[in-house]
Amino acid sequence: MRTKLLGNTGMEVSVVGFGGIPIQRVTQEEATKIILECKNRGINFIDTARAYTVSEEYIGNALKYVGRENFYIATKAMGYTYDDMKKSIELSLEAMDIDYIDLYQIHNVSKIEQLDMILSSEGALKALVEAKEKGLIKHIGITGHICEILIEALNCEDFETIQFPFNPVESQGTELFKKALERGMGTIAMKPIAGGAFSKPELSLKYILNSDLITVAIPGMDSVEQVVKNSSIGDSKLELTEEEIVELNREVKDLGNDFCRRCGYCKPCPEGIDIPNVFIFEGYVTRYNLVEFGKDRYNSMPIKADSCVRCGKCESRCPYNLPIINKLKHAVETFK
């Protein structure tokens, strides 16, 4: 497995990492076998999150068997205040039963108000810096789905990595990654197979790794077979063949414009619907096969898709011209 330095962190990570979201749907025994296969295949970067239910716990238990020393562990939390982030760090360390976390990221920053809070005197960054000084975490990162917010975050020197969606149909992060690399940050590609939308994930991974924009891509994996297949793409840098380019372009065309990039331009909805999250939670059900997880997240929303009054304001703002009204209607059917 090829490796790269994750920005200026000093961590030499495998170019294909392990995304921890779908591991929720397997057993602990299966999860341990998957993590062991990651070690055997040279994958040394694991990414998870507080929000991924049992993912941190499964990974921590697997590390007792496979060996903590074989991996860089990254996790993240959506706490934006000092108190919330401090508690999240404690919970992550407890869930994984480890002494330190290599990379702790502020998860899914989607509003400028959230970023302002994070950077304030009582914000999440203060808790992360304190944890770093105590050796509880080694490095600090930030993740999100909106370029403008994360580009603004690049001005903060405490952030050492950036995580953002990137794949052949989601290239809106190109400028963000370029700026991050210029600043010496590590770049992490989430959603590298578009949330499972690509039927041949290896082509998407090859595209990403050939872009020279990404340090590590983190496809979610829930089987040993997926680890074997995905890790093979990181063994050597191979250019896409003409045949593969044609096939990849066909997949991109099939996905078309009917694909939410979670840019957030559709917001705010006059009725208060968090439109991108509706589609994210629907994707957990229809793509990740995380039916209960997706339904639980959707049901926790204070205002759901069936509150849509078809005013059309979201569609007028969408830079991708998505049929949002029809997609919300489809989501209502999905969650019935």
Side-chain angles (χ1 to χ4, degrees), residues 238-256:
L238 298 174
E239 297 292 331
L240 286 161
T241 66
E242 289 187 14
E243 182 179 337
E244 287 174 333
I245 292 172
V246 169
E247 192 166 358
L248 191 58
N249 287 339
R250 183 166 53 245
E251 286 237 35
V252 170
K253 184 178 180 180
D254 288 343
L255 283 172

Side-chain angles (χ1 to χ4, degrees), residues 14 16 29 39 135 159 180 289 331:
S14 52
V16 175
E29 182 180 4
K39 172 182 174 292
F159 293 130
N289 194 29

Side-chain angles (χ1 to χ4, degrees), residues 21 24 48-56 75-78 107 284 293 297:
I21 186 169
Q24 302 169 81
T48 182
R50 288 292 314 137
Y52 300 166
T53 61
V54 297
S55 180
E56 284 186 333
T75 192
K76 47 196 180 288
M78 289 185 284
H107 192 188
Y284 290 148
F293 179 67
R297 298 296 294 274

Side-chain angles (χ1 to χ4, degrees), residues 35-55:
I35 299 299
L36 176 60
E37 192 63 31
C38 284
K39 172 182 174 292
N40 293 339
R41 298 286 168 172
I43 292 176
N44 70 356
F45 184 84
I46 293 175
D47 178 89
T48 182
R50 288 292 314 137
Y52 300 166
T53 61
V54 297
S55 180

Side-chain angles (χ1 to χ4, degrees), residues 11 51 95 145 156 159 206 214 216 290 306:
M11 296 191 292
H145 295 86
C156 176
F159 293 130
K206 189 181 286 191
I214 302 302
V216 53
L290 293 168
D306 57 6

Side-chain angles (χ1 to χ4, degrees), residues 242-302:
E242 289 187 14
E243 182 179 337
E244 287 174 333
I245 292 172
V246 169
E247 192 166 358
L248 191 58
N249 287 339
R250 183 166 53 245
E251 286 237 35
V252 170
K253 184 178 180 180
D254 288 343
L255 283 172
N257 285 327
D258 192 23
F259 188 89
C260 178
R261 276 82 167 175
R262 298 171 294 279
C263 66
Y265 286 118
C266 58
K267 300 165 71 175
C269 166
E271 304 305 312
I273 303 168
D274 189 336
I275 297 170
N277 269 341
V278 169
F279 299 146
I280 288 172
F281 300 155
E282 186 180 24
Y284 290 148
V285 174
T286 60
R287 291 179 184 163
Y288 281 107
N289 194 29
L290 293 168
V291 178
E292 293 306 316
F293 179 67
K295 285 185 175 180
D296 286 345
R297 298 296 294 274
Y298 178 77
N299 288 334
S300 70
M301 298 180 74

Side-chain angles (χ1 to χ4, degrees), residues 111-169:
K111 299 177 182 177
I112 194 66
E113 293 82 7
Q114 291 173 344
L115 183 61
D116 289 341
M117 170 56 72
I118 288 162
L119 301 179
S120 72
S121 60
E122 291 304 317
L125 184 60
K126 179 182 177 182
L128 288 164
V129 170
E130 285 185 2
K132 185 177 178 181
E133 290 171 349
K134 294 177 181 177
L136 299 177
I137 67 173
K138 300 297 184 182
H139 304 283
I140 299 170
I142 187 168
T143 85
H145 295 86
I146 301 177
C147 282
E148 290 79 4
I149 303 297
L150 294 193
I151 286 175
E152 188 70 24
L154 296 182
N155 295 319
C156 176
E157 294 184 358
D158 288 305
F159 293 130
E160 300 167 85
T161 65
I162 200 111
Q163 185 176 148
F164 192 81
F166 188 69
N167 57 65
V169 79

Side-chain angles (χ1 to χ4, degrees), residues 147 164 166 170-179 213:
C147 282
F164 192 81
F166 188 69
E170 294 184 276
S171 59
Q172 68 271 22
T174 298
E175 190 61 28
L176 169 67
F177 285 132
K178 286 181 179 178
K179 290 179 181 293
L213 293 172

